[in-house]
Each structure stands twice: as structure tokens, then as C-alpha cells.
Amino acid sequence: MTSTVTTKDGVSIFFKDWGPKDAQPIMFHHGWPLSSDDWDAQLLFFLQHGFRVVAHDRRGHGRSQQVSDGHDMDHYAADAAAVAEHLNLRGAVHIGHSTGGGEVARYVAKYGIPQGRVAKAVLVAAVPPIMAKTEAYPNGLPISVFDGFRKGTADNRAQFFRDVAAGPFYGFNREGAKVYPGVIDNWWRQGMMGSAKAHYEGIKAFSETDQTADLKAMTVPTLVLAGDDDQVVPYHQGAELQAKLLPNPTLKIYPGFPHGMLTTHADVINPDLLAFVRG
């Protein structure tokens, strides 16, 4: 069986589908500017516990088609829906990190619940309800922060990606932090596989998309996880607001954990994810 699906607007989306086909499915949604490879620690962990695991590369990212258009939350969710429908996932748990958390929120609200495909959701260091400062969310980050992301991506994407991975993403810029050069290299590798245009335009998607309505529509049990030393998506603006807007939330904040805690602290996060999925 091919490991791609073609969306309704003709885009080829790469996915992984591992484990028993009759087992409970868990679908993973990666962050910017990465790929499904960022979920290695979770995919192998849940496989070992008997689950079916699915992860895809967002359009313009990883091994999916580098198309010119559609780098917005609506298309991200529609692409995820194309994978879920192609594999006929039912009773699935959808887990999203960072931008992938926004993708999960839009998918669950627009497709997962209406189609009866989703049982639970998990938002990890996720971007909803919105990262950028607006009238509705005056404590958001100034747009200049995201203009800096755009400048870094446009001027020297390779060096910018190295700096993000070596610095704030994993908290490797903190005094006394244990730095993993291989993790930095892997982040850079994943990022550089993708399209500069998709990455540039995706910054608007993850920073300026107001997902208040998506969160309010997520009636399934939803686990919200974040680290209180997240330098990318501040937990006061992300996780804490998500817990206030979601109908059925469980919130957990990890002291000292960074944005990329799914990699650096998989030994702590994975058992908590497993307990929620099984609970």
C-alpha cells in the first residue's frame, strides 16, 4: 500500500501507518517546520503498548508535496482529514504539538467530531487560541516576534533553523541544560526537508489564526500539556487559555520543561499520554 494520499485539491500527503490495523488508532500532528519524524519517541512507545500509530507530514513539510498554496489552518485540517478518512480511522486519539495542536483543534472541531472519528484529543505546547496579540487577546505576543520568524526564514533559513533548535526550542540556551547535538541536527534535517514557502507562509497560520471557536467545539476529553519554561509558546497564552475554553479539559503544567519536551522529556510525557489514552 502506498504511503501517500491525494487530497481533494490534488496534494500528495505522506503518512506512516504502523501497528495492528484493528488496534486503537492514535494520530500525531507535528509542529512547525518539522515532519512526522519528530514523533519517533512517541510512535515507538505506543507501538510497544499495542496501539496503531499514524503520523503524516503537513503539506509543504517533510516528504509531502511542496505545493505553492494552502499553507493555512483550514488546509492543514483538511489534509489531516484526508489521511484519517483514507485509513478509515475510528475512535482515534489525536495528539498535536505546537502548530500541530492548532491543526488538531481545527480537525477535531470541523471533521473529527462531525464524522464521529475522534474519541479524545491532546494539545501539547499548542498554539491555540492565538499566539499574536489581538483586541480579544491583549496578552498575546507582538506581531514583531513573528516578523522576526519570517525574516529569519527568508534571509537564511538554514542558520535560523539551527539557531532555533540549538536555543529556545529545547531550552538548550538555559544555564546547565544538557544539550543533545543529535537532536539539534535532527530538527534541522526535518526543517530543511520542507519548502521555504510553506514554512514562511505557515508562520501566519500558527500565529494569527484565532481558534477560540475550535476549542469551544472540542467536546471530547482533551488533555492539555505544557512546560512552564516554554520559550516558544508561553503557557499562559496557550495551555491555560485552552483549559478555560475547552468543554472537557485536563490541564498539566510541567515545571522547567521546554517547548520540545516531547523529545527531551519523553520518559515523563509518554506515560502521561498513555494514562490519558487508556483512561
Side-chain angles (χ1 to χ4, degrees), residues 162-185 229 231 258 260 263-265:
R162 176 74 67 183
D163 293 343
V164 171
F169 197 91
Y170 296 109
F172 291 158
N173 55 347
R174 296 304 199 203
E175 186 176 353
K178 183 175 182 180
V179 177
Y180 297 92
V183 168
I184 298 169
D185 292 346
D229 195 32
Q231 301 172 65
T263 298
T264 58
H265 296 82

Side-chain angles (χ1 to χ4, degrees), residues 35-118:
S35 74
S36 56
D37 293 354
D38 201 44
W39 291 106
D40 283 355
Q42 286 69 45
L43 297 178
L44 294 177
F45 175 84
F46 278 99
L47 273 177
Q48 291 165 3
H49 285 85
F51 291 87
R52 177 185 184 181
V53 295
V54 175
H56 68 294
D57 292 355
R58 188 170 299 121
R59 65 169 58 202
H61 295 60
R63 288 138 295 206
S64 288
Q65 191 174 346
Q66 293 195 8
V67 291
S68 181
D69 300 317
H71 308 299
D72 55 71
M73 210 58 80
D74 279 337
H75 282 87
Y76 295 168
D79 294 350
V83 175
E85 291 165 23
H86 175 70
L87 298 176
N88 195 27
L89 302 183
R90 297 281 180 185
V93 179
H94 286 263
I95 303 178
H97 175 241
S98 197
T99 300
E103 180 177 289
V104 165
R106 181 61 53 90
Y107 166 78
V108 170
K110 191 171 182 180
Y111 300 96
I113 292 175
Q115 295 178 356
R117 294 186 180 276
V118 59

Side-chain angles (χ1 to χ4, degrees), residues 197-214:
K197 188 174 192 292
H199 294 158
Y200 186 91
E201 294 180 0
I203 295 166
K204 181 180 179 68
F206 75 65
S207 64
E208 298 181 53
T209 305
D210 190 331
Q211 297 195 260
T212 303
D214 293 331

